[in-house]
Amino acid sequence: MPAYEILDDRFSAMVLPNAPIELLGENFRWLEGPVWFGDHDMLLFSDLPNNRVMRWSESGIAIHRAPADFPNGHARDRQGRLIECSHAARCLRRIECDGRITILADRFEGKRLNSPNDVVVKSDNSIWFSDPPYGINTDYEGGKGMSELQANLYRLDKNGTLDIAAADFEGPNGLCFSPDEKRLYVVESGVQFAAAANRSIRVFDIAPDGKTLAVGRTFHTIEPGMADGIRADEAGNIWSSAADGVHCIDPSGHLLGKILVPTTVANIAFGGRDLSRLFICAGQKLYAIYTNVRGARLL
Ligand code: MG
């Protein structure tokens, strides 16, 4: 089976015809939350229903932290600390350099968050995250619980103030900024994950104040399956998880091509020395493939 599906000539220059999909690990339960640590040459990722954070490096795979309160999305902040979405703890939290855990947000206006799903850090130290109820719908993904808040997109200011960035979602999910941070892309995956009627990637222009979003519009709709985790490359193309692999979409919303993966993809992260290696969380397996693009870096 070819590793690529090229739908636009531009995609030919973005992939490497001699670079295979590599299987880095398997026999997990369901992978999510990949985040690259260049200073440690390692990838951390969530084995969500197994309630643990895993660590990959060229020397192998190990359990990084367990139990881990059913972790989902991850990011690093400007100081290099791990920012984590926790389903079971229903919070956004930070793992300090000494291993202590600091809750960054677990309530909005006195009501408990649902189950933070995915997170991204902006160059002004604000942290943006989605809060759909997927982690409290089942025990499998964290633990059944009552939803107290609608599924919002939040912005946590560097001073700790939590605000709703956008409230018109049924189920906000993966998110990423454009490389210039003038746009925010957010996946809408619907009320009931995997059975979503509404499953587009939306794009929001960010006002000059760096925090106010304009009304969102549909950027692209993934077929087959749906988008979950998304990442930008340094040219501003958006790479999205999909049922048949990873799709690459240009900034105007045009699908350029696909990296074909045998298992449904949930989330991805650019890593490696030049951020040109794409790590792919696909169900029970972790894959990677070298590309001819580089992931967007923090400004
Ligand atoms: Mg997600």
Side-chain angles (χ1 to χ4, degrees), residues 13-26:
M14 301 167 71
V15 294
L16 301 167
N18 55 349
I21 287 268
E22 299 171 70
L23 178 63
L24 301 183
E26 57 186 336

Side-chain angles (χ1 to χ4, degrees), residues 32 117-118 173 228:
E32 252 291 353
N117 186 288
D118 217 339
N173 201 319
D228 189 342

Side-chain angles (χ1 to χ4, degrees), residues 196-247:
N198 186 352
R199 55 182 187 186
S200 60
I201 303 173
R202 295 169 66 188
V203 60
F204 298 81
D205 294 322
I206 302 174
D209 68 4
K211 59 184 182 182
T212 306
L213 300 182
V215 175
R217 58 190 186 277
T218 299
F219 169 69
H220 184 87
T221 300
I222 293 292
E223 283 283 349
M226 57 192 297
D228 189 342
I230 55 174
R231 305 282 178 175
D233 67 27
E234 63 180 0
N237 303 300
I238 301 301
W239 298 69
S240 173
S241 54
D244 59 348
V246 180
H247 294 194

Side-chain angles (χ1 to χ4, degrees), residues 28-35 43-49 52-54 70-74 84-85 87 116-119 130 134 141 173-175 189 193 227-231 241 264-269 279-286:
F28 305 104
R29 192 157 281 149
W30 172 41
L31 298 185
E32 252 291 353
V35 59
L43 183 87
L44 296 184
F45 54 102
S46 303
D47 188 3
L48 204 165
R52 58 187 186 171
V53 178
M54 304 302 295
F70 292 75
N72 194 333
H74 286 113
E84 183 170 83
C85 293
H87 278 189
N117 186 288
D118 217 339
V119 58
S130 55
Y134 309 139
E141 291 194 33
N173 201 319
L175 67 169
S189 51
F193 192 77
D228 189 342
I230 55 174
R231 305 282 178 175
S241 54
T264 295
V265 176
N267 213 334
I268 54 178
F279 291 88
I280 300 168
C281 291
Q284 296 170 283
K285 298 182 179 182
L286 178 69

